[in-house]
Amino acid sequence: MSESSARPVETLDRSTLNVPRLDTGSTFRREAYAALKRAITAMDIYDHPEEIRLDERRLSEGLGVSRTPIREAMTLLEQEGFVRTRPRRGIFVVRKTKRELVEMITVMAALESMAARLAAERAGGTEIADLRRLMDAFRAGERLAEYSDANIAFHQAIIRMSGSALLAEMTENLFIHMRAIRKITIHQENRAARSITDHFGIIEALERRDSELAERLAREHTLGLAAHVEQHGDFLDALRDDEWRRIHGPESQNNRHPAKKRE
């Protein structure tokens, strides 16, 4: 199958990305970069089979700037691993394989555990109380449909409460994938209920200022996500296989996976 006959990929418009028009008094490239990065980070990139292609023209219209700062912003985003340019096809949001995500989550477990340790030592009592209030709404096992956003907010808060600008910087570019995989897995295999229990354990360690316990519980909690993705994340590679077939045609899948061709 030729590229022209492949099924069209999804093109995201302004409403999908939810990007506001830019202040023309600011540096266009910097503002475009920040707006696009926020929008991409907020997307659920693993919950559908379609590739996510970013259309320069629509983004230019949506942001109210010329295409030049859009292209410059895309160059920066590609350097950071958020998007990938495919010759003659366009710019696409990067999605990771299952193996890449498991490795990423494992690294995040180390960073979040250190953040929890520092939070136990540094966070103010009001911050910890706010974290408990965030979780209290879900203690009775109710409103679990709303829990996904609270779960993500909890993990963001732990990083913020560490008081470490370096930890915040190191986790920033991992967040697009961590947010997306947490959102899509939180309601699988009763993970929401287990997550709430884990979170209260971490909160109690923070309240007691037990830095070693907070560190251990945060690490075990995130490594639990890695184990879940390892066991149940085959759909992530299936998404990429679908993308490959759309680009190169169904027969090319044998060339991508030689072992399958021999079976």
Side-chain angles (χ1 to χ4, degrees), residues 179-211:
R179 176 192 177 280
I181 200 64
R182 278 179 170 137
K183 195 172 185 66
I184 200 170
T185 60
I186 193 61
H187 298 300
Q188 299 172 351
E189 301 291 317
N190 199 35
R191 280 191 52 77
R194 292 200 300 271
S195 173
I196 292 169
T197 299
D198 288 353
H199 285 186
F200 275 114
I202 295 168
I203 291 169
E204 289 166 7
L206 294 176
E207 291 171 334
R208 287 156 46 188
R209 303 296 180 173
D210 190 333
S211 58

Side-chain angles (χ1 to χ4, degrees), residues 11 21-22 28-33 36 53-77 90-91:
T11 299
R21 292 182 73 85
L22 298 181
F28 289 158
R29 182 182 68 173
R30 183 177 66 249
E31 292 297 315
Y33 163 80
L36 292 173
R53 182 167 70 86
L54 304 179
D55 185 282
E56 276 188 9
R57 179 182 60 81
R58 294 189 181 188
L59 292 174
S60 173
E61 293 173 354
L63 291 170
V65 298
S66 71
R67 293 194 186 187
T68 297
I70 298 294
R71 294 189 186 111
E72 293 173 341
M74 290 297 183
T75 297
L76 295 175
L77 290 168
I91 300 172

Side-chain angles (χ1 to χ4, degrees), residues 226-238:
H228 178 84
V229 172
E230 181 70 58
Q231 184 175 0
H232 301 285
D234 288 346
F235 72 93
L236 296 163
D237 292 335

Side-chain angles (χ1 to χ4, degrees), residues 37-51:
K37 187 172 184 178
R38 284 193 301 269
I40 292 171
T41 300
M43 294 169 59
D44 296 330
I45 61 177
Y46 296 107
D47 69 344
H48 53 80
E50 293 81 12
E51 293 182 279

Side-chain angles (χ1 to χ4, degrees), residues 1-8 242-252:
M1 182 186 296
S2 67
E3 288 185 2
S4 60
S5 60
R7 195 174 80 182
D242 286 344
E243 293 170 6
W244 184 272
R245 283 192 292 270
R246 279 196 292 273
I247 297 169
H248 302 284
E251 294 303 319
S252 66

